[in-house]
């Protein structure tokens, strides 16, 4: 139980980068970008091919992210310069990327099992550091069952994800970042304040898909392979993370919202893992679970709000009634 | 300062909906001049504004600002030296961003946007001072989302954002039309103040004749895509609404036509 839960948290943090990318397009730019399903594979595939070709894992990962950035920029160009509807531009790019990814990879699956990846490279250093024993002792002292997994992936990913989060928080508060946010909020207004909205959308969707591809590159190295179908449904997982995160942790400011998205990605994985442990559900039901989860995250906050509102009104009514009665008595 | 030379624009040319929105319009504004524009619906006032701002490109004619030809400069590039306030109070601000962030975006209007924070301690003080001049108490709500402000407050903020970087041209497009009378009056006052304070070259469209008479030092009347009346100086100061209407009917001889519309 604990081990599968830990695995869920681990992959949650890896996919959190992808969710941050979706947050940028979906929430900041209000651009429903479906490129994600393709650019995720692009990231994994490019990094995979580069690693197999002997490139250093760090460079290969960055190259994968950059390939995703370019893919996103093209979607942005299709939408702004080609005046293609946002959804359609994303879909077109997504299917185009399927073929492009196959070309890039040369085969449907690129295996990295025997290659040195980002994680295997850090591993030797990690093992020597003795952090695993340290963390496991903490877990043990908390009185949980004995746990002997490695904390390597988790730690690396938490650090990386938080770094990206802090970078994103900072970026969205810079002059360029503010203009980017306003482009999603009120395009007419920011254009009248001399911002090139087309350029901002292109860059924004680019960065979004860069993050998605970065996540893809890391997922590929984590799993040891890149597969041309590994991106299917990615956009839904990203949206689920964003929506669940916002419902659970709020979105008052950018800093809270990005943290919420990371939290949402982890919670999503945990819930799916738990659900799959239920006897009558199997892995084929994952998409259904996801859909139900997103619906719940969308509907529940509104229902809670409505209920609060109703309670408040009833209380007011009761107060009013009491006051009236008081007046009758005193008269 | 601002010069329109023989500007014409026709919409839907060659179809039954053809509309000559501007017909050979010539207009020249001196630096610091405040011009009010009146005219009935469809007279071409908004088209005139859009041609100046760059959201419309005229079929023929030339627009120069500071002796620079800007006709083919895209809207966002022109916006560096043109401030604009729209009729809709929701149009001029970003609702999900805070007051200080909105001001920060306006502040970088005439500069290249960089990867440096838009709101710093020093800038915040500056924004606070500008807000203070509005006397609306907004200076204490720097971190409030603009979507929470009332229409009047948002319009005042839009006006401030359009003006405090001292643009070469200020365009006001019926910017008090969507407000209640007391708010409209407040915005009108603020408008007069800021235009005077920054000595802005201003073009203001309005449907409110009294406002057109009270504000500014020159008035032009438009009809059917043409400027049909242009007064300034003392002559403008002595103008009344009745004069204006008489003048309009004298030029266009439309009395009978509009009477028919009312009776019919």
């Amino acid at each position: 139980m604990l081990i599968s839960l830990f695995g869920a948290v681990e992959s949650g943090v890896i996919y959190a980068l992808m969710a941050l990318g979706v947050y940028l397009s979906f929430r900041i730019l209000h651009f429903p970008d479906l490129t994600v399903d393709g650019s995720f594979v692009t990231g994994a595939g490019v990094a995979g091919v580069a690693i197999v070709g002997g490139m250093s894992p760090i460079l290969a990962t960055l190259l994968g992210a950059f390939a995703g950035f370019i893919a996103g920029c093209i979607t942005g160009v299709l939408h702004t310069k080609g005046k293609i509807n946002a959804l359609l531009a994303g879909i077109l790019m997504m299917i185009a990327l399927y073929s492009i990814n196959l070309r890039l990879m040369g085969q449907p699956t690129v295996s990295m099992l025997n290659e040195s990846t980002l994680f295997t490279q850090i591993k030797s250093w990690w093992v020597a550091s003795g952090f695993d024993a340290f963390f496991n002792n903490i877990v043990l002292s908390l009185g949980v069952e004995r746990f002997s997994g490695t904390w390597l992936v988790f730690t690396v990913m938490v650090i990386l994800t938080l770094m990206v989060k802090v970078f994103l928080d900072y970026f969205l508060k810079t002059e360029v970042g503010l203009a980017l946010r306003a482009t999603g909020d009120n395009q007419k207004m920011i254009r009248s304040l001399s911002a090139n909205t087309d350029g901002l959308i292109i860059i924004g969707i680019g960065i979004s898909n860069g993050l998605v591809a970065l996540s893809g590159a890391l997922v590929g190295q984590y799993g040891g392979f890149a597969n041309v179908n590994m991106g299917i449904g990615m956009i839904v997982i990203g949206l689920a993370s964003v929506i669940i995160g916002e419902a659970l942790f709020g979105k008052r400011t950018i800093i809270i919202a990005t943290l919420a998205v990371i939290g949402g990605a982890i919670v999503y994985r945990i819930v799916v893992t738990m659900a799959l442990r239920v006897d009558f559900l199997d892995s084929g039901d994952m998409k259904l679970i996801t859909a139900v989860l997103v619906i719940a995250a969308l509907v529940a906050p509104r229902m809670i709000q409505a209920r609060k509102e109703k309670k408040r009104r009833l209380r007011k009514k009761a107060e009013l009634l009491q006051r009236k009665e008081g007046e009758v008595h005193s008269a | 300062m601002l010069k329109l030379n023989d500007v014409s624009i026709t919409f839907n040319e060659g179809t039954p909906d053809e509309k000559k929105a501007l017909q050979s319009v010539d207009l020249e504004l001196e630096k610091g001049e405040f011009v009010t524009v009146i005219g009935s619906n469809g007279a071409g006032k908004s088209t005139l504004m859009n041609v100046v701002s760059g959201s419309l490109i005229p079929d023929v004619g030339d627009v120069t600002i500071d002796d620079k030809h800007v006709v083919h400069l895209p809207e966002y590039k022109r916006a560096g030296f043109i401030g604009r306030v729209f009729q809709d109070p929701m149009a001029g601000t970003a609702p999900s961003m805070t007051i200080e962030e909105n001001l920060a975006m306006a502040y970088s209007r005439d500069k290249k946007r960089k990867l440096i924070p838009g709101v710093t301690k020093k800038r915040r003080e500056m924004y606070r001072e500008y807000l203070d001049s509005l006397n609306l108490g907004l200076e204490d709500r720097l971190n409030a989302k603009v979507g929470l402000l009332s229409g009047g407050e948002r319009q005042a903020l839009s006006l401030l954002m359009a003006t405090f970087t001292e643009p070469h041209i200020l365009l006001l497009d019926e910017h008090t039309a969507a407000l209640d009378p007391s708010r409209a009056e407040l915005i009108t006052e603020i408008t007069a103040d800021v235009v005077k304070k920054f000595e802005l070259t201003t073009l203001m469209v309005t449907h409110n004749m009294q406002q057109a008479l009270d504000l500014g030092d020159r008035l032009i009347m438009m009809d059917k895509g043409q400027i049909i009346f242009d007064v300034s100086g003392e002559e403008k100061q002595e103008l009344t609404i009745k004069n204006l209407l008489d003048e309009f009917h004298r030029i266009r001889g439309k009395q009978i036509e509009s009477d028919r519309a009312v009776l019919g």
Side-chain angles (χ1 to χ4, degrees):
Chain A
M1 176 71 192
L2 191 67
I3 289 178
S4 63
L5 213 57
F6 183 76
V9 174
E10 211 172 57
S11 53
V13 189
I14 301 187
Y15 285 99
L17 285 174
M18 188 266 301
L20 283 173
V22 172
Y23 168 76
L24 193 62
S25 58
F26 187 65
R27 279 293 192 236
I28 298 290
L29 281 169
H30 293 273
F31 190 113
D33 176 31
L34 300 187
T35 316
V36 171
D37 280 19
S39 60
F40 187 80
V41 183
T42 306
V46 167
V49 169
I51 284 174
V52 171
M55 193 186 268
S56 101
I58 290 186
L59 279 181
T61 307
L62 290 177
L63 192 68
F66 182 71
F69 172 79
I70 297 292
C73 286
I74 295 173
T75 305
V77 170
L78 289 179
H79 174 62
T80 55
K81 306 296 179 193
K83 310 273 177 226
I84 299 174
N85 167 290
L87 265 176
L88 188 55
I91 292 175
L92 289 172
M93 199 56 208
M94 176 180 83
I95 61 157
L97 279 177
Y98 186 87
S99 301
I100 294 172
N101 291 334
L102 258 178
R103 283 275 173 199
L104 283 172
M105 289 156 60
Q107 62 213 42
T109 305
V110 173
S111 169
M112 289 173 258
L113 277 178
N114 301 317
E115 307 291 335
S116 118
T117 68
L118 205 58
F119 299 113
T120 57
Q121 273 203 338
I122 307 175
K123 197 169 185 178
S124 53
W125 173 83
W126 181 263
V127 169
S129 72
F131 277 128
D132 273 339
F134 175 72
F135 283 128
N136 285 336
N137 279 336
I138 294 180
V139 173
L140 205 61
S141 66
L142 288 174
V144 202
E145 65 186 277
R146 184 156 180 80
F147 179 75
S148 56
T150 173
W151 293 75
L152 163 76
V153 176
F154 177 76
T155 316
V156 171
M157 284 315 303
V158 165
I159 292 171
L160 201 64
T161 306
L162 286 180
M163 266 164 57
V164 169
K165 175 203 146 40
V166 170
F167 158 79
L168 207 59
D169 291 346
Y170 176 82
F171 171 67
L172 289 174
K173 287 198 173 295
T174 62
E175 292 175 343
V176 179
L178 288 177
L180 187 81
R181 283 161 62 194
T183 302
D185 209 17
N186 187 347
Q187 231 182 88
K188 185 177 173 186
M189 167 261 188
I190 193 64
R191 212 178 300 130
S192 82
L193 294 176
S194 87
N196 179 357
T197 47
D198 285 1
L200 285 164
I201 290 175
I202 294 169
I203 295 285
I205 299 300
I207 297 176
S208 159
N209 282 287
L211 289 174
V212 171
L214 175 64
S215 175
L218 293 165
V219 168
Q221 293 175 64
Y222 173 66
F225 69 93
N227 181 284
V228 76
N229 288 320
M230 71 193 285
I232 294 177
M234 227 17 93
I235 180 68
V236 182
I237 296 177
L239 284 178
S241 308
V242 172
I243 289 164
I244 293 169
E246 286 181 346
L248 287 180
F249 309 110
K251 53 178 173 182
R252 218 170 46 78
T253 65
I254 295 285
I255 293 174
I256 296 175
T258 48
L259 198 62
V261 169
I262 297 172
I266 297 172
V267 169
Y268 167 77
R269 284 287 156 189
I270 292 177
V271 174
V272 169
T273 309
M274 304 265 261
L276 290 180
R277 289 176 72 88
V278 177
D279 280 340
F280 60 88
L281 292 172
D282 62 45
S283 56
D285 297 323
M286 209 169 111
K287 306 263 185 230
L288 181 63
I289 297 169
T290 307
V292 171
L293 220 80
V294 174
I295 293 169
L298 283 172
V299 175
R302 207 153 293 167
M303 277 169 66
I304 294 170
Q305 186 63 31
R307 188 170 228 164
K308 266 191 197 155
E309 200 53 24
K310 197 173 170 190
K311 260 191 195 157
R312 195 180 63 92
R313 254 183 267 134
L314 283 176
R315 202 179 56 235
K316 285 257 169 182
K317 223 182 236 172
E319 272 172 23
L320 198 70
L321 213 65
Q322 224 166 23
R323 213 178 315 139
K324 270 195 184 152
E325 267 174 18
E327 277 166 19
V328 170
H329 279 295
S330 62
Chain B
M1 193 66 189
L2 171 67
K3 215 155 121 187
L4 273 75
N5 193 0
D6 205 13
V7 170
S8 297
I9 184 164
T10 306
F11 297 130
N12 305 315
E13 193 159 24
T15 71
D17 295 325
E18 179 174 298
K19 180 158 179 48
K20 293 192 165 107
L22 289 179
Q23 301 184 50
S24 310
V25 170
D26 288 308
L27 180 67
E28 192 169 346
L29 265 67
E30 298 297 324
K31 187 170 169 31
E33 203 169 24
F34 185 169
V35 180
T36 54
V37 186
I38 56 171
S40 47
N41 287 329
K45 306 177 306 287
S46 294
T47 311
L48 182 75
M49 296 293 241
N50 287 334
V51 165
V52 175
S53 76
S55 38
L56 281 177
I57 296 174
D59 300 335
V60 286
D62 205 7
V63 182
T64 51
I65 296 173
D66 282 337
D67 297 323
K68 208 163 87 186
H69 294 275
V70 295
V71 145
H72 290 293
L73 211 58
E75 185 188 2
Y76 76 89
K77 279 192 181 157
R78 262 189 243 190
F81 44 87
I82 297 179
R84 193 170 188 192
V85 184
F86 303 99
Q87 177 179 357
D88 178 5
M90 306 302 147
T93 45
S96 74
M97 298 168 74
T98 64
I99 293 180
E100 60 180 17
E101 284 170 341
N102 271 276
L103 283 165
M105 290 186 282
Y107 179 73
S108 29
R109 165 211 293 283
D110 55 352
K111 303 157 195 72
K112 187 147 177 47
R113 289 188 164 82
K114 295 195 200 109
L115 287 172
I116 54 169
V119 181
T120 58
K121 223 178 210 172
K122 211 173 103 200
R123 285 191 192 177
R124 186 174 285 135
E125 274 319 301
M126 180 179 72
Y127 302 151
R128 202 192 298 273
E129 260 168 50
Y130 281 121
L131 285 170
D132 197 39
S133 69
L134 294 178
N135 286 322
L136 289 172
L138 294 180
E139 62 276 10
D140 301 322
R141 299 168 67 189
L142 282 174
N143 279 313
K145 295 233 164 102
V146 170
L148 300 172
L149 304 185
S150 72
E153 287 168 332
R154 281 184 76 163
Q155 202 62 334
L157 183 63
S158 306
L159 187 58
L160 178 66
M161 285 164 57
T163 53
F164 80 100
T165 53
E166 304 185 27
H168 298 193
I169 310 281
L170 175 63
L171 300 178
L172 305 170
D173 198 349
E174 295 181 48
H175 69 307
T176 62
L179 305 174
D180 68 61
S182 72
R183 290 290 120 183
E185 198 172 317
L186 176 80
I187 299 295
T188 307
E189 271 171 39
I190 298 175
T191 306
D193 282 351
V194 291
V195 169
K196 203 168 152 204
K197 185 165 133 197
F198 299 124
E199 293 172 358
L200 300 171
T201 311
T202 306
L203 202 56
M204 178 176 96
V205 167
T206 177
H207 268 303
N208 181 335
M209 291 212 206
Q210 194 57 51
Q211 193 184 33
L213 293 173
D214 293 345
L215 282 172
D217 29 44
R218 182 173 162 197
L219 181 147
I220 61 178
M221 192 194 289
M222 293 189 72
D223 188 51
K224 293 186 179 154
Q226 290 171 319
I227 295 175
I228 56 168
F229 186 56
D230 187 341
V231 280
S232 54
E234 231 166 83
E235 206 183 334
K236 193 219 159 205
Q237 303 304 324
E238 288 164 8
L239 217 54
T240 63
I241 293 187
K242 190 166 179 319
N243 288 156
L244 266 179
L245 288 173
D246 290 348
E247 197 63 34
F248 180 70
H249 292 135
R250 189 181 64 74
I251 296 168
R252 282 305 184 197
K254 273 200 178 166
Q255 185 74 55
I256 306 151
E257 211 181 285
S258 68
D259 281 356
R260 200 180 293 144
V262 171
L263 295 170

